[in-house]
């Protein structure tokens, strides 16, 4: 059995390939909003400083989850989850950086994705199609309300910073073996097909 790539607490990981290296991002831990590690070979990982050292003013500290990054024309766009304090529910926001490791800057006045009637929105994941079109996938957190959760997708603007068009439901928690929920969507293309991977 091989050793883990990183033996510490590194939840909800997302790995971005850039140039000849890789950046791995993860949920908050130990006072760090967005954990980030660097690697040249996907085997040895070196810690880097907090990728998002300052949260936007509207967000609640300590609830920063499941970051994902997409690179567009030299700018890195971080999509991540943060607590919306008035509702006490999770929402998705964005931050920009000039380097894959950050620091990222979120100057938003509120969430980019927030399905309050669905219990909130979590687990953003970015996907870039073969034609260069970026998309965002995420989960509506309806299980927090005692209802089945659902996975969503929506086209992003060319710069990867905002949503365009309409959100589309991709999959619902509707199978007994999926109990208690579906979450953490990711998409890849292989053998001419789109594959939706989820927990």
């Amino acid at each position: 059995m091989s050793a883990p790539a990183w033996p510490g607490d590194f939840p909800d990981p997302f790995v971005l390939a850039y140039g000849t290296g890789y950046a791995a991002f993860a949920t908050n831990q130990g006072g760090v909003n967005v954990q980030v590690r660097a690697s040249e070979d996907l085997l040895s990982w070196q810690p880097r400083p907090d990728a998002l050292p300052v949260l936007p003013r509207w967000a609640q500290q300590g609830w920063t989850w499941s970051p994902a990054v997409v690179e567009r024309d030299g700018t890195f766009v971080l999509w991540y989850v943060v607590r919306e304090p008035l509702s006490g529910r999770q929402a998705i926001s964005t931050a920009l950086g000039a380097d894959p490791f950050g620091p990222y800057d979120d100057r938003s006045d509120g969430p980019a994705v927030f399905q309050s009637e669905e219990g909130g929105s979590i687990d953003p994941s970015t996907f870039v199609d073969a034609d260069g079109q970026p998309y965002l996938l995420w989960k509506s957190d309806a299980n927090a309300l005692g209802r089945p959760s659902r996975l969503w997708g929506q086209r992003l603007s060319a710069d990867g910073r905002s949503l365009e068009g309409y959100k589309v439901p991709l999959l619902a928690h509707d199978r007994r073996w999926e109990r208690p929920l579906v979450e953490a969507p990711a998409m890849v293309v292989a053998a001419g097909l789109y594959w939706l991977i989820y927990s």
Side-chain angles (χ1 to χ4, degrees):
M1 176 182 253
S2 62
W6 182 260
D9 185 12
F10 204 71
D12 305 315
F14 177 90
V15 177
L16 173 74
Y18 71 93
T20 61
Y22 304 90
F25 303 83
T27 284
N28 66 272
Q29 191 270 339
V32 174
N33 291 320
V34 173
Q35 298 185 75
V36 62
R37 303 274 187 275
S39 177
E40 294 297 323
D41 57 10
L42 294 175
L43 297 174
S44 175
W45 293 90
Q46 306 304 318
R48 293 292 186 94
D50 192 340
L52 185 69
V54 179
L55 296 180
R57 288 184 298 173
W58 59 268
Q60 184 178 342
Q61 192 75 33
W63 296 84
T64 311
W65 299 350
S66 52
V69 174
V70 63
E71 187 271 330
R72 307 303 290 169
D73 295 325
T75 297
F76 296 87
V77 185
L78 172 71
W79 289 83
Y80 70 101
V81 174
V82 70
R83 176 66 60 98
E84 197 285 315
L86 296 179
S87 66
R89 301 288 181 190
Q90 297 295 85
I92 298 172
S93 191
T94 60
L96 302 178
D99 185 277
F101 300 100
Y104 289 84
D105 184 21
D106 185 342
R107 299 186 182 185
S108 65
D109 296 321
V113 181
F114 184 38
Q115 296 160 291
S116 58
E117 72 286 354
E118 292 290 330
S121 305
I122 68 170
D123 295 345
S125 178
T126 54
F127 166 70
V128 180
D129 208 344
D131 63 359
Q133 174 64 55
Y135 294 85
L136 185 73
L137 289 75
W138 74 90
K139 172 207 172 187
S140 56
D141 210 20
N143 55 281
L145 304 176
R147 303 200 312 257
S149 58
R150 188 180 299 269
L151 306 180
W152 301 83
Q154 190 165 346
R155 188 174 67 244
L156 288 173
S157 58
D159 61 12
R161 303 180 188 188
S162 59
L163 296 167
E164 288 188 343
Y166 301 95
K167 65 181 182 290
V168 176
L170 302 176
L171 189 72
H173 167 212
D174 58 2
R175 300 286 191 272
R176 176 173 284 180
W177 60 266
E178 293 172 330
R179 287 181 180 171
L181 50 83
V182 294
E183 63 181 4
M187 188 169 285
V188 296
V189 176
L193 297 173
Y194 294 89
W195 298 84
L196 177 64
I197 304 164
Y198 64 99
S199 296

